[in-house]
Amino acid sequence: MSENKIIYMDNNATTRVYQEVLDAMLPYFKDQYYNPSSMYSPAGAVHKEMEKARGEVADFLGCDPIEVCFVSCGSEGDNMAIRGTIEAYPTKNHIITTRVEHPAVIETCKSLERLGYRITLLDVDNDGNINIDDLKKAINDNTAIVSIMYANNETGVIFPVKEIGEIVKNAGAVFHVDAVQAAGKLPLIMKDEPYIDMLTIAGHKIHAPKGIGALYIKKGTKLRTVQTGGHQERGRRAGTENVPYIIGLGKAASMVKAELPKFIEHTSKLRDKLEEEVLKRIKEVKINGKGAKRVSNTTNISFKNIEGEAILLLLDGYGICTSSGSACSSGTLEPSPVLQAMGVPFEYAHSSTRFSLSLDNTMDEIMYTADAIEKIVARLRDISPYRD
Amino acid sequence: MWEYTDKVKDHFINPRNVGEIENPDAEAMTGSIVCGDALKLTLKINKDTEVIEDAKFQTFGCASAIASSSILTEMIKGKTLDEAKKITNKDIAMELGGLPEEKMHCSVMGMETLEKAINNYRGINVEEDEHDEGAIICKCFGVTDTKIKRAIRENNLTTVDEITFYTKAGGGCGACKVKLEDILNEELAERERAQKNAPLTTVQKIKKIEEAIETVINPMLKMDGGSCKLIDIEGNIVKISFKGACSSCMASKNTLKGFVEPKIKELVDKNLEVVGV
């Protein structure tokens, strides 16, 4: 493998924008620049194309186009769902989420906690699964919304959305699902998941650019507008539509939907091989979340007694792009809250490294990466004062 | 992505003096696996000259922790214990061409481990060492108030975030941040007091005297139609000349010693003497 080639294994951070997606977007920057809300016919044509993209996203999500609300990113979708719901239910003051959510959800809940809302953070077990009984105990008449992720960004662990959703519906609360890391990795068919009231996706995780996302809002869901102003998005989100990016999201959604079976087959084969090689070659390795159901492209591996930022930078030296749950790489001083919630011991937690694959990765890259990891771990363990 | 200097990258990728000296004359370890970094240092010391003849390290930690440890061993080899003891975390960071602010605690770890190793060689009980006294302020990382105060003083820190970057204190649950702020405010007040007592430089004196004349003294003198002006200073002798009504006034000597001098002593420095020219 050439030393200069970049081996990109950080697709849970962001994905390559597909050429077809970029091509579809370009006319809407220059020639088709009209405001889709304007009354003249060139604007009408832009509006029509935008609605076509909404149709493509609806098709991707298995829902009706009027249930798709375009937003600027996954974080905005999560904020809108949670804040809009609690405003819509002024008499309820309780929110349930989990300890392993993305900051877009956890920090939103914490900011509401400061305003007097009560937050329940559900624990997870060593594999990253929640205990359904904890949810049953926590939920009550006061619960406005339950917000959980479909798949975890760090470990790929999939939550039992159906089981959770049924409990939430029986309790009369709103159910929001952060599916940013599930989109493009699992089929998302909203008409088959009627217990989901709202669901967030982000474009840049499915080969559209950064700066666009969508919130699925099931027909009849009570939601107050958080971003007020104009009448765009059926009055649910004010602001002139980001037309080129919406077109890009539509194109990406239809491409990713078509290639989903291939994606699952390809990435699971590569991911399983990477794990097999690492486990075979290196002692004292832990694959975080391996005991749970996971999306096919993600593996989160910890190596005892070494530190993740050092691993990440040495992998970078091999041209391999990954991410780390270590404290030192994030600028905070504590290792990943997700791994801490899973009870991963400290001698493992500091070294967690996430490899997240796409259709672009090859088996050669996997073998090259396994070789690199083997050398890096041996080298860092040689420097470490901890050894067994 | 961190902005590491080429020297940090070099010492991270090609660390010098990795390992453990057999039967070392001195050794020390700081940090822990819970905290995310740890350094073990072993030294070979010439008993007669106290020169550090060899130094080796083992580090669990990120790139800057490894680089800080590596450069530390290079810096101390060939130095006497007294010379080595003077090395501060700033020296380590400087030798690396600088560290990202968030990573300064890596250089602190180097300094502390070296001190601990020297104390260990000299038979100083680590528990009695001044830096390990004091109350634990940050429970997540076990950081004491003495360590925090020392980092503030030696590195001229001015914010709570900086304390976290240099000592890790406050970087976990964050519950101690209020206490950190109290310690910081105390230290800043202390620093200000110290600066006030410290002798002023000539330029500082000139500036402060002119400010006192302009804002306090002349407005008073102007009521009687006069004013004064700073002509020169020599050591603590301040030479003033009166203008306007004051210059011909017989009472100007009283004004000088009874009003101008006490005001300048009060506002600038009590050691100053004011003379008319």
Side-chain angles (χ1 to χ4, degrees):
Chain A
M1 190 125 335
S2 142
E3 289 292 320
N4 298 325
K5 202 187 157 203
I6 288 173
I7 295 171
Y8 187 71
M9 296 196 175
D10 202 17
N11 287 279
N12 288 10
T14 199
T15 55
R16 176 174 70 84
V17 176
Y18 280 157
Q19 184 65 48
E20 296 87 334
V21 171
L22 181 63
D23 292 343
M25 291 170 66
L26 287 175
Y28 297 90
F29 286 103
K30 197 160 165 271
D31 299 332
Q32 307 297 323
Y33 56 84
Y34 310 100
N35 188 326
S37 299
S38 297
M39 294 303 289
Y40 30 81
S41 48
V46 170
H47 187 266
K48 210 172 141 195
E49 287 305 311
M50 185 176 83
E51 290 312 309
K52 212 177 111 196
R54 195 186 305 279
E56 288 170 319
V57 174
D59 190 39
F60 176 75
L61 292 173
C63 69
D64 197 282
I66 65 164
E67 295 173 317
V68 173
C69 176
F70 291 116
V71 293
S72 67
C73 59
S75 296
E76 189 197 330
D78 291 342
N79 267 269
M80 184 171 164
I82 297 169
R83 294 177 192 274
T85 300
I86 60 144
E87 279 198 37
Y89 293 89
T91 58
K92 295 187 173 187
N93 72 345
H94 181 221
I95 302 169
I96 299 176
T97 185
T98 79
R99 288 196 186 279
V100 296
E101 295 304 310
H102 189 273
V105 168
I106 293 229
E107 292 303 318
T108 302
C109 289
K110 280 188 182 165
S111 88
L112 292 168
E113 193 172 28
R114 288 191 282 276
L115 295 178
Y117 289 88
R118 204 164 63 77
I119 312 296
T120 300
L121 295 174
L122 300 175
D123 290 320
V124 297
D125 63 19
N126 295 148
D127 287 321
N129 288 316
I130 59 165
N131 182 344
I132 290 292
D133 287 336
D134 291 348
L135 173 65
K136 285 182 188 160
K137 271 180 226 153
I139 201 161
N140 60 58
D141 291 347
N142 246 326
T143 308
I145 182 168
V146 176
S147 177
I148 60 127
M149 62 200 338
Y150 215 123
N152 187 272
N153 49 319
E154 292 186 32
T155 59
V157 169
I158 300 168
F159 275 149
V161 169
K162 181 169 191 277
E163 218 178 324
I164 296 167
E166 278 163 1
I167 293 164
V168 176
K169 286 295 99 187
N170 283 337
V174 172
F175 187 35
H176 167 248
V177 176
D178 173 0
V180 167
Q181 293 293 350
K185 297 166 191 162
L186 296 171
L188 297 172
I189 303 162
M190 293 301 101
K191 64 178 188 318
D192 293 344
E193 303 199 61
Y195 35 81
I196 297 178
D197 296 306
M198 283 178 283
L199 177 136
T200 311
I201 64 166
H204 75 111
K205 312 286 190 189
I206 58 165
H207 303 279
K210 298 145 197 77
I212 188 71
L215 182 66
Y216 157 77
I217 308 168
K218 191 171 73 182
K219 266 177 258 178
T221 302
K222 254 172 85 181
L223 188 71
R224 286 292 292 268
T225 303
V226 176
Q227 180 158 305
T228 48
H231 58 275
Q232 293 89 349
E233 299 299 301
R234 303 167 65 82
R236 289 177 301 207
R237 192 231 187 220
T240 301
E241 299 89 341
N242 187 359
V243 176
Y245 284 67
I246 289 171
I247 302 285
L249 180 62
K251 181 73 187 166
S254 60
M255 288 177 72
V256 164
K257 186 181 183 222
E259 66 190 25
L260 181 62
K262 201 168 80 184
F263 174 90
I264 294 173
E265 192 207 329
H266 182 75
T267 57
S268 58
K269 195 170 81 189
L270 297 188
R271 193 266 310 268
D272 293 350
K273 182 67 179 167
L274 181 63
E275 291 182 350
E276 182 197 317
E277 287 296 319
V278 166
L279 289 169
K280 191 169 79 189
R281 299 179 193 201
I282 307 169
K283 275 190 225 151
E284 297 183 301
V285 170
K286 206 174 154 348
I287 294 174
N288 300 306
K290 195 170 167 57
K293 233 175 111 184
R294 291 180 295 162
V295 291
S296 60
N297 80 319
T298 307
T299 181
N300 186 303
I301 313 180
S302 287
F303 309 91
K304 197 177 178 186
N305 292 339
I306 56 176
E307 197 280 329
E309 189 221 56
I311 298 171
L312 191 146
L313 293 182
L314 291 174
L315 280 168
D316 183 44
Y318 284 88
I320 301 166
C321 307
T322 59
S323 76
S324 168
S326 99
C328 295
S329 61
S330 61
T332 63
L333 290 162
E334 294 226 311
S336 146
V338 172
L339 299 185
Q340 286 192 65
M342 289 166 70
V344 176
F346 278 104
E347 60 267 37
Y348 282 100
H350 285 292
S351 67
S352 77
T353 307
R354 179 186 71 187
F355 302 82
S356 48
L357 311 175
S358 75
L359 274 169
D360 291 344
N361 295 114
T362 65
M363 192 54 89
D364 280 352
E365 289 179 349
I366 293 293
M367 298 312 285
Y368 174 81
T369 303
D371 288 345
I373 300 170
E374 188 180 2
K375 286 180 204 146
I376 289 166
V377 172
R379 183 163 158 190
L380 290 174
R381 281 187 175 161
D382 202 42
I383 304 178
S384 175
Y386 298 109
R387 50 197 69 214
D388 296 290
Chain B
M1 195 88 199
W2 300 109
E3 292 281 327
Y4 285 133
T5 63
D6 288 343
K7 198 133 186 212
V8 173
K9 286 183 203 158
D10 177 34
H11 276 264
F12 165 56
I13 292 166
N14 309 299
R16 330 290 202 262
N17 309 310
V18 174
E20 216 175 341
I21 294 172
E22 268 183 57
N23 306 315
D25 298 305
E27 65 173 291
M29 181 149 167
T30 60
S32 79
I33 203 140
V34 176
C35 294
D37 47 18
L39 164 60
K40 185 176 181 184
L41 193 64
T42 49
L43 305 176
K44 190 169 158 46
I45 298 163
N46 184 310
K47 298 231 165 19
D48 302 323
T49 60
E50 286 208 329
V51 166
I52 299 170
E53 289 177 339
D54 198 9
K56 282 196 159 55
F57 82 92
Q58 288 172 320
T59 292
F60 160 71
C62 58
S64 60
I66 291 170
S68 296
S69 314
S70 167
I71 200 119
L72 175 69
T73 56
E74 293 275 274
M75 287 165 77
I76 60 176
K77 276 212 265 181
K79 283 202 169 69
T80 65
L81 292 185
D82 284 338
E83 287 166 347
K85 202 166 178 176
K86 288 191 191 123
I87 293 172
T88 65
N89 72 290
K90 268 204 261 186
D91 298 330
I92 297 170
M94 222 186 301
E95 197 70 23
L96 286 168
L99 279 175
E101 209 175 23
E102 292 88 341
K103 297 283 187 173
M104 284 302 288
H105 59 86
C106 297
S107 65
V108 174
M109 179 167 78
M111 174 183 75
E112 286 184 342
T113 317
L114 175 63
E115 279 179 357
K116 212 165 153 183
I118 295 173
N119 287 341
N120 157 271
Y121 178 77
R122 291 182 165 165
I124 299 169
N125 188 332
V126 178
E127 264 67 46
E128 286 168 16
D129 187 50
E130 53 176 322
H131 311 309
D132 281 297
E133 277 177 8
I136 300 267
I137 301 294
C138 170
K139 288 189 184 125
C140 298
F141 293 105
V143 189
T144 62
D145 57 349
T146 34
K147 177 169 171 174
I148 293 163
K149 285 179 188 167
R150 186 179 176 199
I152 294 172
R153 274 176 220 156
E154 292 188 347
N155 298 286
N156 263 322
L157 307 185
T158 55
T159 65
V160 172
D161 279 350
E162 284 175 345
I163 297 177
T164 306
F165 297 154
Y166 280 72
T167 66
K168 291 184 149 196
C173 70
C176 63
K177 285 199 171 174
V178 175
K179 281 186 194 163
L180 293 181
E181 197 158 353
D182 290 345
I183 294 175
L184 179 68
N185 287 338
E186 238 171 71
E187 284 295 312
L188 290 179
E190 181 57 39
R191 193 183 295 169
E192 203 176 318
R193 272 197 297 278
Q195 274 164 359
K196 272 192 179 155
N197 292 335
L200 296 168
T201 65
T202 307
V203 175
Q204 284 171 330
K205 278 181 201 161
I206 293 171
K207 264 187 157 168
K208 289 194 152 202
I209 292 166
E210 285 187 329
E211 198 186 338
I213 290 174
E214 198 185 320
T215 58
V216 180
I217 297 169
N218 277 349
M220 290 296 289
L221 298 182
K222 272 187 186 139
M223 291 181 190
D224 294 322
S227 68
C228 72
K229 191 181 165 205
L230 175 68
I231 299 299
D232 198 3
I233 59 169
E234 267 177 35
N236 281 333
I237 312 282
V238 181
K239 297 178 180 172
I240 294 279
S241 83
F242 284 107
K243 288 164 86 180
C246 297
S247 56
S248 56
C249 173
M250 292 300 285
S252 68
K253 182 126 196 205
N254 292 342
T255 310
L256 184 73
K257 287 293 171 188
F259 172 62
V260 179
E261 188 178 80
K263 271 289 159 208
I264 285 180
K265 276 172 180 269
E266 178 197 326
L267 296 171
V268 184
D269 185 339
K270 59 182 186 314
N271 298 315
L272 295 175
E273 190 188 330
V274 179
V275 297
V277 293

